[in-house]
Amino acid sequence: MHSFRDVILDDILREKFRKFLHTVFNAEPTYVIFNYINRAVRNSANQNDHDIYRDLQHALKTRQFAFIRGLWTLIKQIIQLRIQIKDLIRQQITIFKHLGYCRMIKNIVSIGDGDRCIGDLRQNIQN
């Protein structure tokens, strides 16, 4: 019910939250999200987590250059997704090599990935 408030008002939890924002939630710069949450927690009109979250959403949507920031965030997400796909392919190839299957695989079928991985995987297995 008051987890935002509990985290922001506790020195240790606040520092852990900053680290979380930096390492896990990196769609926005850490200080931006942290400052908006900090302001929302300290706003006496916000009585619970729902109020704080709604205040945070409003602040992010109405800030200057919100559209451009959103577009940049989308580009960063696409780049991050491509990096994750390459890492997934690398892991799959490592498993195939470890099992001794690389030279034995003739065809690969992938269901549900929309051909995002299979072309790169097929090319890397044949090398």
Side-chain angles (χ1 to χ4, degrees):
M1 190 68 173
H2 299 286
S3 56
F4 279 117
R5 192 173 314 278
D6 292 344
V7 167
I8 294 298
L9 298 179
D10 182 279
D11 292 341
I12 294 170
L13 292 177
R14 186 173 52 244
E15 201 50 42
K16 287 182 178 184
F17 184 59
R18 272 189 221 268
K19 289 178 184 177
F20 166 80
L21 289 175
H22 181 71
T23 58
V24 176
F25 186 82
N26 61 3
E28 290 282 343
T30 301
Y31 69 91
V32 171
I33 298 295
F34 185 82
N35 287 339
Y36 281 131
I37 293 172
N38 192 32
R39 279 188 232 151
V41 163
R42 295 174 195 284
N43 181 347
S44 60
N46 295 328
Q47 298 298 310
N48 54 43
D49 285 348
H50 180 71
D51 294 341
I52 292 168
Y53 184 71
R54 198 171 55 239
D55 192 356
L56 175 62
Q57 284 181 315
H58 177 72
L60 290 171
K61 286 180 185 175
T62 59
R63 66 190 170 150
Q64 191 175 22
F65 305 114
F67 175 75
I68 293 171
R69 292 174 195 264
L71 191 59
W72 174 243
T73 299
L74 180 62
I75 290 168
K76 281 175 53 177
Q77 290 171 344
I78 290 169
I79 291 168
Q80 183 65 35
L81 180 61
R82 190 65 192 148
I83 290 168
Q84 290 172 344
I85 288 171
K86 285 185 179 213
D87 189 47
L88 176 65
I89 291 168
R90 183 191 54 75
Q91 291 173 13
Q92 290 173 335
I93 290 170
T94 300
I95 291 169
F96 291 150
K97 285 181 179 178
H98 179 74
L99 296 173
Y101 290 151
C102 279
R103 303 221 190 276
M104 298 168 56
I105 296 174
K106 301 293 183 216
N107 291 308
I108 300 173
V109 174
S110 180
I111 299 171
D113 82 342
D115 199 34
R116 286 182 293 276
C117 298
I118 199 69
D120 288 342
L121 182 60
R122 184 180 292 124
Q123 183 181 26
N124 284 298
I125 282 182
Q126 293 171 354
N127 293 337

